[in-house]
Amino acid sequence: MTTYRTSGIPARILTELPGAVRRALSLLEESGHRAYLVGGCVRDGLLGRTPGDWDLAADALPEETAACFVSCARVIPTGVRHGTVTVLLDGVAMEITTFRVDGQYSDMRRPDSVAFTADIREDLARRDFTVNAMAYRPGEGVFDPFGGEADLRAGILRCVGEADVRFREDALRILRALRFRSQLGFHLDAAAARGVLENRRLLERVSAERITHELDKLLCGRYAAETLREYPEVFEVFIPELASGDAGALERAGYVLGHTVPVREVRLAALLGGCEGVREILTRLRYDRAAIQHVLALTENREAVIPPREREIRRWLSRLGEERLRLLLEFQKGEASRAHEAKEAEAVLNRVIASGACVTLAGLAAGGEDLLAMGLPRGPVIGRTLSHLLARVVDGDIPNTRGVLLAEARRLWNIEGGR
Ligand code: ATP
Ligand code: MG
């Protein structure tokens, strides 16, 4: 579990804010507004973790916020209707949101309306968990009306207000709870744990984009394996395929999650490795094509034996490319039965890369133009010949020099003489 470093006194990260953040807060204050850091950055700051992003809240309307920054920063009207503008100041992007109260949730996704308020407490009350419902104002300290600091210290995820109501309002919070469980190692309190399980089916109505945004963070968390073991039913709502495998498959997924680097594609492969229809699952969850191809390359080659020998590694490199092969080895390092060999293969891969060995068409010392000049006809024969040459170079049968490659092409096509 992430340890709580300070007690009462704001952590250094909060007292020594990056210049741009401090400046943004001062600019708002100098214009007569109250400005706070809120949400994740306060939580992370108190935990001694470097915040991923800086969110500010102020009793300023979006246009008032924009007016404070217009002469010194880029102002992007990200979500003015919800009170949010993004400010790019000295290269740091910050979201600044007007204190607000959320209206009714009729679609369980986002409030139908929001109302602005002058009260920071009301703004904090709409937030999901107590540890995310603290605000920090330089000079004033941490404002913590819901006991977030105590929960932070105890490692507890507790909803602001009644868990059941909060999860029904916005079902994404169910997945966010698991995401923080995974990232921080915190435990859900009894009401949140019950609320998550009882309301999990509501996740069916949450858009794929919102789900994957949280799922990616969850899977890359340090406690992803534990989270999957504790709450498999929640994952099964948006990936029912997880339920059709045997219990061993889920156990194996947990093991690999716990033993791989926190890279999205590797962790997705770990989660889905035992499922049928990985492509369909990822397409349904709206992952982009590149991510889907990466994950498929991992799940399809999950059992592949990659011998730690240069020739084999060159073959794999030319099949998958360096990026994918590295991901595959990372994935295999997470499997008890493959880890040892994958580590050895990685060492050989590093050697092969350092040697500058040719493993792609682009690396060949002869190209299509050379073959045309030699008299080969334009068309598919050129590509086929180059592939053949590459395969022979990769296998170490011939060196990658122009003269040898052209001689091999001539031999192949029985062409006399040449250049
Ligand atoms: P991260 O460090 O990953 O950015 P975060 O806690 O900052 O985590 P964000 O998604 O950036 O998460 O949201 C910022 C803050 O907005 C949260 O800390 C929380 O206070 C509030 N929040 C975000 N999503 C919700 C939600 N669905 N329901 C209630 N409050 C939310
Ligand atoms: Mg954030």
Side-chain angles (χ1 to χ4, degrees), residues 120-308:
I120 178 72
R121 191 184 188 284
E122 289 186 329
D123 181 272
L124 295 176
R126 72 176 167 87
R127 296 172 184 273
D128 46 9
F129 305 104
T130 59
V131 294
N132 289 345
M134 291 180 275
Y136 174 74
R137 187 163 178 240
E140 186 178 290
V142 177
F143 180 53
D144 175 26
F146 303 104
E149 271 200 77
D151 287 340
L152 206 60
R153 214 170 300 134
I156 290 175
L157 288 163
R158 187 195 313 277
C159 291
V160 176
E162 241 183 273
D164 190 58
V165 174
R166 302 312 309 280
F167 289 134
R168 282 169 185 275
E169 266 173 11
D170 179 5
L172 186 70
R173 291 171 188 153
I174 294 167
L175 197 54
R176 284 176 60 84
L178 268 50
R179 187 258 271 203
F180 293 117
R181 159 80 189 100
S182 171
Q183 283 185 321
L184 305 173
F186 286 14
H187 289 277
L188 280 62
D189 79 336
R194 197 176 337 108
V196 154
L197 288 179
E198 284 175 359
N199 294 298
R200 67 183 188 277
R201 291 258 148 238
L202 298 177
L203 274 172
E204 285 167 1
R205 299 194 223 160
V206 176
S207 75
E209 288 81 357
R210 291 183 87 212
I211 296 231
T212 54
H213 184 75
E214 295 296 332
L215 179 63
D216 290 347
K217 292 186 178 182
L218 189 167
L219 290 178
C220 289
R222 181 148 167 222
Y223 300 90
E226 289 79 354
T227 309
L228 178 65
R229 286 195 195 106
E230 288 163 21
Y231 300 96
E233 310 89 334
V234 177
F235 291 77
E236 286 165 11
V237 174
F238 50 91
I239 310 176
E241 291 86 347
L242 285 171
S244 42
D246 53 86
L250 211 60
E251 192 45 46
R252 189 171 168 195
Y255 182 88
V256 185
L257 278 180
H259 289 81
T260 41
V261 288
V263 172
R264 179 178 75 155
E265 285 76 7
V266 174
R267 294 287 174 96
L268 277 168
L271 178 69
L272 302 177
C275 293
E276 296 285 330
V278 175
R279 182 191 297 276
E280 290 70 26
I281 297 170
L282 294 170
T283 308
R284 192 179 66 222
L285 291 173
R286 308 229 176 180
Y287 279 100
D288 59 85
R289 259 173 57 106
I292 296 177
Q293 297 303 336
H294 276 326
V295 177
L296 284 172
L298 305 191
T299 53
E300 284 165 5
N301 291 302
R302 179 178 205 180
E303 309 285 348
V305 176
I306 304 176

Side-chain angles (χ1 to χ4, degrees), residues 353-403:
I353 295 292
S355 75
C358 162
V359 290
T360 61
L361 289 177
L364 277 180
E369 289 303 316
D370 297 306
L371 299 182
L372 290 170
M374 217 173 69
L376 285 191
R378 213 168 267 286
V381 87
I382 300 287
R384 280 214 301 275
T385 307
L386 289 172
S387 297
H388 166 87
L389 294 177
L390 178 62
R392 300 220 59 194
V393 169
V394 165
D395 281 356
D397 298 337
I398 54 174
N400 181 29
T401 57
R402 191 162 172 277

Side-chain angles (χ1 to χ4, degrees), residues 38-41 43 52-55 179 217:
V38 282
C41 60
R43 177 199 68 222
D53 46 32
W54 300 93
D55 289 323
R179 187 258 271 203
K217 292 186 178 182

Side-chain angles (χ1 to χ4, degrees), residues 107-128:
D107 64 352
M108 258 173 278
R109 275 187 64 211
R110 55 170 68 104
D112 305 335
S113 61
V114 301
F116 298 140
T117 164
D119 186 353
I120 178 72
R121 191 184 188 284
E122 289 186 329
D123 181 272
L124 295 176
R126 72 176 167 87
R127 296 172 184 273
D128 46 9

